[in-house]
Amino acid sequence: MTRTSTAGAASETYEDGTTAIGPPAGGMGDVRSASERVAEAADDGAAASGPPAGATGDGRAASGSVGGAARDVAAASGPVVVSDQGLPAWLDPVAGLARSVRPEELSSFLPPESGSGRQSAVLVLFGEGPQGPELLLMERAGSLRSHAGQISFPGGALDPEDGDPATTGPLRAALREAEEETGLDPSGVQVFGVLPRLYIPVSGFVVTPVLGWWREPSPVGAVDQGETAHVFTVPVAQLTDPATRATSVHPRGHRGPAFLLEHGLLWGFTAGVVDKVLHFAGWERPWDRSREVPLDWHA
């Protein structure tokens, strides 16, 4: 993605309060990118304990190594390789975003300084289908307590076995949850970056978006109808189509980006992340922001 400056941009408050541009809550903190912190944590782990099981001495996975920049993250469930090497050229701007974007450029709602909030992660998985680059999405089951019936990225809360929430835990959580929800084979996913953590005030979730390239696609579908209603991919070309874009308006007055998809309305946190990815990638096309889609009180 071609990174563009948002300095001086007016803030936007989305319906779940997650993707507005504005000053960060409570200062800058660690100004390194999330991807840099993950890579450093992986390096520290390798220095302390040597290469993980199943890896070669130079830190590359014994099978499927994707380049010298790879980092193996040891876990009870096996290593997670973090690498931006070998990506298709069209994903280079997205990898650049992970290295350079600051949290306040994605949202004015950042994790509380107190450390409160339920740690979670989502997998922002890019693939290549018949219509070109695409994104994996799912519709959450209507019976769920949080965000029922919404279109979202695969993901969920971290489990203790996922590891440190501040470094590599979100990587494992995103892959584990994606496998549990969609049935994808995580061994075919190349994690190439991590976006800064964002906060969803209405649910108290602290969410880490994990960027992945679907290097070896596998069949997907709703594994548990109690959690997932549908699993599908959406071409990036459809997401950038001005005819797909709209502004959602909640009865409480919150406004945010939305996408009119074949499978339903994409809005809220996921729409906010998609909107920013398209923008910072340089993929966004001019669209009519005055086109409004009203939400009901149950949204």
Side-chain angles (χ1 to χ4, degrees):
M1 289 177 274
T2 301
R3 185 168 176 267
T4 58
S5 173
T6 59
S11 64
E12 298 179 9
T13 302
Y14 299 150
E15 58 274 7
D16 56 5
T18 55
T19 52
I21 297 176
M28 294 303 298
D30 189 344
V31 298
R32 294 172 299 160
S33 72
S35 293
E36 287 173 329
R37 292 195 298 272
V38 168
E40 180 178 301
D43 285 338
D44 289 345
S49 59
T56 62
D58 61 0
R60 291 175 296 135
S63 62
S65 177
V66 289
R71 297 293 184 267
D72 290 331
V73 181
S77 59
V80 176
V81 178
V82 182
S83 173
D84 61 5
Q85 301 298 304
L87 297 176
W90 58 266
L91 264 181
D92 287 345
V94 187
L97 170 65
R99 292 189 296 267
S100 60
V101 74
R102 295 179 180 270
E104 69 274 13
E105 292 177 305
L106 297 178
S107 176
S108 62
F109 293 90
L110 304 181
E113 289 187 335
S114 65
S116 62
R118 190 176 184 187
Q119 298 293 328
S120 61
V122 294
L123 181 63
V124 184
L125 183 60
F126 292 92
E128 196 154 9
Q131 299 181 57
E134 60 186 15
L135 197 60
L136 179 68
L137 296 172
M138 52 174 265
E139 179 185 342
R140 295 168 57 84
S143 59
L144 292 175
R145 183 170 55 184
S146 299
H147 310 293
Q150 290 189 19
I151 295 175
S152 69
F153 300 120
L158 270 67
D159 286 346
E161 59 267 26
D162 292 325
D164 185 359
T167 55
T168 58
L171 305 181
R172 299 187 189 92
L175 293 172
R176 174 183 54 76
E177 286 283 345
E179 181 179 15
E180 292 175 0
E181 292 175 331
T182 73
L184 70 77
D185 181 357
S187 68
V189 175
Q190 177 181 338
V191 174
F192 66 88
V194 181
L195 296 181
R197 293 182 299 163
L198 304 176
Y199 185 57
I200 306 180
V202 296
S203 60
F205 279 101
V206 175
V207 186
T208 300
V210 177
L211 303 174
W213 158 237
W214 212 351
R215 182 168 36 85
E216 298 177 6
S218 55
V220 292
V223 175
D224 182 353
Q225 292 289 337
E227 291 190 2
T228 309
H230 302 288
V231 178
F232 55 94
T233 57
V234 177
V236 171
Q238 182 179 351
L239 294 169
T240 60
D241 185 350
T244 302
R245 305 297 307 268
T247 298
S248 61
V249 182
H250 195 278
R252 294 187 180 91
H254 301 307
R255 303 168 63 87
F259 298 81
L260 301 166
L261 305 179
E262 177 183 345
H263 293 83
L265 180 67
L266 172 59
W267 65 283
F269 173 83
T270 303
V273 172
V274 171
D275 175 69
K276 295 307 178 195
V277 168
L278 298 179
H279 172 71
F280 284 106
W283 296 344
E284 184 180 33
R285 298 165 58 188
W287 57 281
D288 184 3
R289 297 175 185 270
S290 68
R291 182 188 185 191
E292 297 181 351
V293 177
L295 302 172
D296 62 34
W297 282 104
H298 300 290

